[in-house]
Amino acid sequence: GDPVVFSETLKAAHSAPEEAMFCSISGEVPTDPVVSAKSGHLFEKSLIDKYLQSEDKCPVTGEPLTAADLIPVVAGQTPRPRPITATSIPGLLSHFQTEWDAVMLETFTLKQHLDTTRKELSQVLYQHDAACRVIARLTRERDEARAMLAQRQGQMAERAAAAAAGESMDVEGSAGAPLTSITEEVVAQMTSKGKELSKGRKKRPIPESLAKPAAMKEYSCQSSATPHASSKQGVTCVALHPTLPAVTVSGGVDKDVIIYDHDQSQIVASLSGHSKKVTSVEFHSDATKILSASTDKTAKIWVAADAAAVAFEEKASFAHEAEVTGLSIHPTGDYFVTSGKNATWSFHSIEYGTTLQAVSSPDLTAAFNDIQFHPDGLIVGVADEAKAVRMFDMKTQNLIHTFEGHTGAVQSLHFSENGYYMASASKDKTVRLWDLRKLTNIKTLEVPAAAHTVKFDYSGTYLVAGTGHDVSVSVVKEWEQLNVLSGHSKDVAGVAVAKDASRIVSVGMDRAIKVWSK
């Protein structure tokens, strides 16, 4: 660069401050001016620095140029003049509009980013929740498998000990060996109990405390409870405590068995162990045991852990090859039966926690939906998807009769305590009554929706059925409908009737347990 040119440039910069000098790159007045010692051109420092990061020559002359060749220029800090657009009201409005548009555009972009982030967070949380559920299910299944393994090992050890002891003992000494099949002793025990019950039934009068038909007509909902979890709605089955009519045991889609006191409006105990929905529950007659069945292919016995029967623990688990749909306790209190989706029913020992026999037939392939013992305990009935109710002889385990007439799958059956009648509920919107002596259908009750459950009261005077969202109450023999109990918002799945018919309990897929009385 020519020293004369550079000298003249500096002089102009200091001697004429009133004349604006412009950056050779932007053409605007620089706020931080520097001058090239080689060419004498004035630049905005930030611009020429950025340019020299990619090029090593002067942007104007093309001569070699480095940052060391730039000399800062001391200039007065005069305020930058307003742009021409800001010197008039229309210009200011246009300027404000431009800034507003920029702010709105930035806000819109931020909202888009926020929405995207929320979706990503929601997806991550959903995946985390799903992973937690899978882990919980796997943990539960592992614990169940361990418990079943421990139980089987204990049973095997007991059998081995009994076998070893049997080698040095006589026949009488082997009487305590666990049952593994339906022996002649078991059949004799059931036969004796059946005769006893049949004989006593003929002399049993109708109790004076039994609710009268006029009172049944006035029944309404006295309480409604929802003790089961809301995450998976639905209560599928219910049973009454044998001596405390205010206490129920129920099973739900939430996999839990819950004992609930309706007078106190509180949960007495919650039994967790099943890995899928519970399909059937029953109180044992001694009130210290509860039996449950589930679609997880198991049936369980729960035993009271204390004298007050406010805490229960799992005593035994019975593995099945298919989903378990129903159970019924034998009148002796020593055995129970279960029905399965694989058209098989099984007979179990409560005392030994063993399955004595599984009964199936090549001719029967439709799923069994429910199972019940006859009050004498010598006949067991099953309701199936093939629109029939089938009777089996407990002595031989053979099919002895099939009741046909329904046009839809039979969901539930129940025997009257008088031993003469049996009721069946079907998806064909009927409840049929059968005479067990004549083996005929004596009455068909038309109902407005599919019938899911049916129960006689203990005296055999009343018949209660869950149809659709309602509970129908009828008087036997006259077959007059006394009342229709409405209140559930979804299908009624189970009903129970107090011994004196003073209260009716219903459960539904709306998660409610309702108590009906006068």
Side-chain angles (χ1 to χ4, degrees):
D2 189 349
V4 176
V5 175
F6 176 66
S7 177
E8 290 177 354
T9 301
L10 290 178
K11 288 180 180 179
H14 289 284
S15 62
E18 69 280 357
E19 296 181 8
M21 299 184 69
F22 301 96
C23 173
S24 297
I25 296 177
S26 66
E28 296 183 356
V29 178
T31 57
D32 189 8
V34 292
V35 64
S36 171
K38 293 185 177 180
S39 65
H41 285 286
L42 188 69
F43 301 102
E44 174 67 58
K45 187 176 186 305
S46 60
L47 293 178
I48 191 63
D49 285 345
K50 185 178 296 184
Y51 181 83
L52 291 178
Q53 288 177 3
S54 58
E55 302 288 342
D56 56 357
K57 59 184 179 180
C58 177
V60 179
T61 64
E63 297 177 355
L65 183 65
T66 64
D69 297 327
L70 300 176
I71 301 174
V73 177
V74 179
Q77 298 298 319
T78 57
R80 179 178 293 186
R82 292 182 179 178
I84 297 176
T85 56
T87 58
S88 64
I89 292 177
L92 286 172
L93 293 176
S94 176
H95 183 68
F96 291 155
Q97 183 64 49
T98 302
E99 290 187 355
W100 173 261
D101 292 344
V103 171
M104 289 299 101
L105 180 61
E106 183 180 6
T107 302
F108 176 73
T109 304
L110 290 174
K111 286 183 176 180
Q112 283 185 318
H113 291 167
L114 177 61
D115 185 57
T116 302
T117 304
R118 281 178 173 171
K119 289 180 179 178
E120 292 175 353
L121 178 60
S122 176
Q123 181 68 16
V124 170
L125 290 174
Y126 175 78
Q127 292 175 348
H128 177 267
D129 184 57
C132 289
R133 289 199 299 270
V134 170
I135 291 171
R137 177 175 59 80
L138 292 176
T139 302
R140 188 162 52 248
E141 291 178 354
R142 180 204 64 189
D143 294 341
E144 289 176 356
R146 286 178 175 174
M148 291 179 66
L149 177 60
Q151 177 189 346
R152 294 291 181 259
Q153 289 175 339
Q155 292 175 356
M156 291 175 65
E158 290 176 0
R159 292 175 186 175
E167 295 178 357
S168 59
M169 295 173 63
D170 57 17
V171 176
E172 292 182 358
S174 63
L179 285 172
T180 58
S181 63
I182 301 179
T183 62
E184 293 181 1
E185 290 75 10
V186 173
V187 173
Q189 181 188 5
M190 290 191 294
T191 303
S192 174
K193 187 66 174 180
K195 291 179 179 179
E196 175 192 338
L197 291 172
S198 179
K199 183 178 180 181
R201 184 179 297 111
K202 296 177 182 178
K203 301 178 181 179
R204 187 177 64 201
I206 295 178
E208 295 183 2
S209 60
L210 181 69
K212 300 297 186 288
M216 300 284 279
K217 292 181 179 180
E218 299 180 12
Y219 276 20
S220 60
C221 184
Q222 301 301 313
S223 69
S224 182
T226 54
H228 286 269
S230 59
S231 56
K232 293 184 178 180
Q233 290 198 5
V235 184
T236 57
C237 48
V238 65
L240 284 167
H241 191 284
T243 58
L244 303 174
V247 177
T248 62
V249 60
S250 57
V253 181
D254 62 355
K255 314 168 194 175
D256 290 338
V257 175
I258 292 180
I259 305 170
Y260 192 83
D261 188 328
H262 293 269
D263 284 351
Q264 301 298 323
S265 299
Q266 66 180 14
I267 294 175
V268 177
S270 181
L271 317 180
S272 299
H274 286 292
S275 60
K276 291 185 179 180
K277 74 174 181 180
V278 180
T279 54
S280 183
V281 290
E282 289 289 347
F283 264 115
H284 193 276
S285 58
D286 63 11
T288 63
K289 291 183 281 290
I290 291 172
L291 281 70
S292 63
S294 168
T295 56
D296 65 4
K297 303 180 182 180
T298 68
K300 295 181 183 294
I301 298 177
W302 310 83
V303 179
D306 52 29
V310 295
F312 285 76
E313 57 187 19
E314 182 180 330
K315 174 192 174 185
S317 181
F318 301 81
H320 294 67
E321 294 181 357
E323 296 180 4
V324 187
T325 56
L327 66 84
S328 181
I329 301 175
H330 192 269
T332 60
D334 296 332
Y335 313 101
F336 74 102
V337 288
T338 54
S339 57
K341 284 287 187 183
N342 60 344
T344 299
W345 63 270
S346 301
F347 186 72
H348 315 275
S349 168
I350 293 177
E351 179 182 358
Y352 295 104
T354 55
T355 299
L356 305 186
Q357 188 156 345
V359 180
S360 61
S361 170
D363 300 330
L364 303 179
T365 57
F368 291 168
N369 293 327
D370 192 17
I371 189 166
Q372 288 291 324
F373 271 116
H374 182 273
D376 292 342
L378 297 177
I379 296 175
V380 65
V382 294
D384 67 19
E385 285 286 324
K387 312 170 187 177
V389 180
R390 306 183 192 277
M391 299 289 124
F392 292 85
D393 183 354
M394 282 306 305
K395 297 178 183 178
T396 62
Q397 300 86 55
N398 292 330
L399 178 66
I400 55 176
H401 188 72
T402 299
F403 290 100
E404 296 178 316
H406 282 291
T407 58
V410 184
Q411 300 285 84
S412 174
L413 79 153
H414 197 245
F415 293 96
S416 170
E417 269 296 317
N418 63 18
Y420 301 144
Y421 301 117
M422 185 263 294
S424 57
S426 170
K427 287 183 178 180
D428 63 6
K429 299 182 181 180
T430 66
V431 175
R432 289 178 180 263
L433 283 302
W434 310 87
D435 190 318
L436 300 177
R437 296 164 295 183
K438 300 177 181 179
L439 302 179
T440 57
N441 177 207
I442 58 174
K443 185 68 177 179
T444 299
L445 304 177
E446 303 286 343
V447 292
H452 299 291
T453 181
V454 64
K455 283 285 190 300
F456 284 99
D457 75 297
Y458 184 71
S459 69
T461 305
Y462 303 107
L463 180 70
V464 179
T467 62
H469 299 180
D470 301 327
V471 177
S472 171
V473 183
S474 303
V475 62
V476 179
K477 293 184 179 180
E478 293 83 357
W479 305 118
E480 174 192 357
Q481 187 179 66
L482 301 176
N483 204 338
V484 175
L485 309 176
S486 301
H488 286 282
S489 60
K490 292 185 180 180
D491 284 348
V492 175
V495 294
V497 188
K499 275 196 171 184
D500 59 358
S502 60
R503 65 173 62 196
I504 297 170
V505 180
S506 62
V507 296
M509 301 311 290
D510 57 0
R511 202 166 60 91
I513 305 176
K514 294 184 179 292
V515 177
W516 312 84
S517 64
K518 185 176 178 182

